[in-house]
Amino acid sequence: MATLPLASATRAAAFCHRSGLASSSSVPSARRYAHDLVIKRKTGLPIQRAGPIGGGRSAVSGHVATVFGCTGFLGRYLVDKLGQKGTQVIVPYRDEDEKRHLKPLGDLGQIVPLEWDLKNDDQIRECLRHSDVVYNLTGRNYETKNFTFNDVHATGAARIAAIAADAGVSRFIHVSHLNAREDSPSKFLRSKAEGEKLVKQAFDGATIVRPGSLYGHEDRFLNQMARWPITWHVNYGRTKLRPTHSIDLARALELMMDAEVTSTGATFSLGGPKTYTITELLTLVESLTFEKTLRPGLNVPHWALRLAASITDKAAWWGMLSADEVDRRMVDDLPDEAGTKSWADLGMTPDKIEDVAIVYLRRYRSHLRFEQPVETSGTPLRKNGRYHVVD
Ligand SMILES: NC(=O)c1ccc[n+]([C@@H]2O[C@H](COP(=O)([O-])OP(=O)(O)OC[C@H]3O[C@@H](n4cnc5c(N)ncnc54)[C@H](OP(=O)(O)O)[C@@H]3O)[C@@H](O)[C@H]2O)c1
């Protein structure tokens, strides 16, 4: 923040005192209401802010946003952040029950559910025709008989982007994956790379976001590690990951709505700040839950697990471990690609998983040790190569 020389500061304070205004240094805290008018450069449309500056009840950000894929894990945190700031959020849903928890995340009437189908252009247009920002979070870890990876991540994403461009939406923010590459061994990751390319073609200036594996209350990451003791390993537990905190990602997506850095389109690599092997992560989970997660187990060869996964995945009608997921478990998280932006460009410092994992893992402790504190200020210490908590 810029500081005034002492003499000018005193003069300014005296002027403010005489004129009954708050002094310049106290202006930000004294200004509790925002009445701003911003004209969007791309569309020329006005965005009018009003109400409490920090958001909350009766705040109006002036934006209308559509969040495709809002009914999933990340979606709820993004809708929550947008709703708090007074953004009207259109929440497209497929299943009536999947959108109920989103309704209380904004003021009355600010969360608007609309039914949609990824293959129905009219419904997509209906969902975004009043919006100035569109987020695309749709994604699936496995293929179904109705939707392949390409249908959801590539052609589906491109369809939404093209309709958004046609409707005059000013920002399109598309969530991809940190490891999305055209030469990836995983079909899922190849379809994500294809999606990035098609979205950029369909929407000039689209923002691409590449997060690492997400963790949070409803994740398929820490929960999976804590729920079952691991009796078998893939890749000897050596696959390296850069986990991203879901709350950080939701905050970053929220900031992208207004950030100047996203006005002309950019790619953000939003992996976590540290890299861990799977074994290190399992050790962390074990230290925080006091439950054994790491059993000395067999390392299952890639081909054998892949074969077993492709058989069981076809037999069950719900998503189990798919062959492609087995492939992804062998892929190390990539470093940020040169030329992409990161957390610092949004003024953010992302969380390290060891600092926040206890919030999500405490529920896996037995009642006897439920409230036992984590040593130091939340950072488990490493001792003899293992994370160590107070006994
Ligand atoms: N979770 C991670 O670790 C992670 C890591 C990197 C990137 N990402 C990406 O981040 C995004 C959000 O992840 P997430 O964990 O929140 O995913 P999620 O919990 O699986 O939610 C996916 C969302 O996409 C929707 N969707 C899936 N297939 C669809 C289809 N055929 N038609 C319409 N909607 C469909 C789902 O709607 P329904 O509820 O109707 O099924 C749901 O709203 C995804 O693109 C994902 O690939 C996730």
Side-chain angles (χ1 to χ4, degrees):
M1 191 193 290
T3 49
L4 287 172
L6 192 58
S8 0
T10 320
R11 272 202 304 278
F15 169 77
C16 291
H17 180 72
R18 278 200 306 278
S19 55
L21 294 172
S23 73
S24 60
S25 61
S26 63
V27 166
S29 56
R31 189 167 168 257
R32 276 182 277 153
Y33 284 84
H35 297 281
D36 293 339
L37 178 67
V38 178
I39 308 292
K40 279 271 169 187
R41 242 185 265 155
K42 186 162 176 183
T43 55
L45 290 175
I47 302 288
Q48 245 176 314
R49 283 194 195 106
I53 277 184
R57 185 171 283 227
S58 304
V60 177
S61 76
H63 290 285
V64 181
T66 304
V67 183
F68 291 100
C70 58
T71 50
F73 164 41
L74 174 63
R76 74 188 64 203
Y77 295 104
L78 176 59
V79 174
D80 180 44
K81 295 248 177 262
L82 299 175
Q84 265 178 33
K85 286 279 157 66
T87 297
Q88 188 171 47
V89 195
I90 316 299
V91 292
Y93 68 93
R94 295 192 294 174
D95 184 330
E96 192 60 39
D97 288 337
E98 295 297 327
K99 49 94 164 109
R100 283 188 192 183
H101 61 285
L102 301 173
K103 278 290 265 184
L105 299 181
D107 276 347
L108 198 61
Q110 291 297 87
I111 308 292
V112 185
L114 284 178
E115 198 173 354
W116 82 302
D117 178 344
L118 185 54
K119 291 182 178 166
N120 187 325
D121 288 8
D122 291 339
Q123 281 182 337
I124 295 175
R125 194 167 294 110
E126 178 89 356
C127 288
L128 55 72
R129 70 195 169 117
H130 296 299
S131 302
D132 62 296
V133 186
V134 171
Y135 292 92
N136 179 31
L137 273 52
T138 45
R140 189 84 323 155
N141 262 339
Y142 48 87
E143 296 191 304
T144 62
K145 70 176 163 47
N146 294 322
F147 291 96
T148 62
F149 286 138
N150 246 43
D151 290 340
V152 181
H153 304 141
T155 48
R159 173 178 290 133
I160 301 173
I163 295 172
D166 191 44
V169 165
S170 63
R171 287 200 188 180
F172 189 84
I173 300 166
H174 171 73
V175 179
S176 179
H177 194 286
L178 190 60
N179 296 334
R181 298 292 185 275
E182 278 174 359
D183 57 355
S184 170
S186 147
K187 194 176 171 195
F188 170 96
L189 294 170
R190 288 198 300 274
S191 71
K192 283 283 191 187
E194 176 73 7
E196 291 184 6
K197 199 173 76 187
L198 295 182
V199 163
K200 281 192 217 153
Q201 279 167 12
F203 193 103
D204 188 27
T207 304
I208 307 291
V209 182
R210 294 176 176 168
S213 301
L214 298 179
Y215 62 91
H217 276 299
E218 306 83 3
D219 68 17
R220 293 173 292 268
F221 190 73
L222 290 177
N223 283 309
Q224 250 181 25
M225 292 184 189
R227 204 166 286 152
W228 299 293
I230 307 292
T231 47
W232 46 266
H233 301 276
V234 193
N235 199 18
Y236 297 93
R238 288 186 203 136
T239 305
K240 294 190 188 110
L241 298 178
R242 299 171 56 200
T244 305
H245 194 186
S246 51
I247 311 269
D248 281 343
L249 182 58
R251 171 81 181 132
L253 290 170
E254 182 208 347
L255 289 174
M256 283 175 198
M257 186 160 71
D258 284 315
E260 198 55 36
V261 69
T262 56
S263 60
T264 52
T267 300
F268 282 82
S269 296
L270 300 183
K274 269 179 81 177
T275 306
Y276 310 80
T277 62
I278 295 276
T279 307
E280 281 175 325
L281 289 166
L282 286 168
T283 313
L284 172 69
V285 173
E286 192 173 281
S287 326
L288 292 174
T289 57
F290 304 111
E291 300 290 338
K292 268 243 155 297
T293 55
L294 258 179
R295 301 269 158 92
L298 197 68
N299 185 73
V300 185
H302 178 216
W303 65 265
L305 189 60
R306 197 175 196 287
L307 184 69
S310 44
I311 295 167
T312 50
D313 195 40
K314 288 223 165 39
W317 59 265
W318 65 94
M320 289 184 71
L321 182 70
S322 69
D324 192 78
E325 271 181 280
V326 175
D327 293 341
R328 268 177 272 155
R329 288 188 184 196
M330 310 290 287
V331 178
D332 287 343
D333 274 353
L334 297 169
D336 296 356
E337 200 181 353
T340 58
K341 302 198 183 304
S342 195
W343 300 101
D345 296 282
L346 296 164
M348 288 183 68
T349 310
D351 290 330
K352 294 193 197 98
I353 193 168
E354 65 255 37
D355 292 340
V356 284
I358 184 65
V359 176
Y360 306 117
L361 291 173
R362 194 179 290 278
R363 64 184 144 153
Y364 290 101
R365 288 180 171 191
S366 86
H367 69 286
L368 294 172
R369 306 181 92 170
F370 191 79
E371 293 191 356
Q372 198 164 329
V374 177
E375 197 174 68
T376 73
S377 55
T379 312
L381 291 181
R382 295 205 78 185
K383 196 175 177 188
N384 306 329
R386 293 169 74 80
Y387 286 99
H388 168 70
V389 278
V390 180
D391 224 356

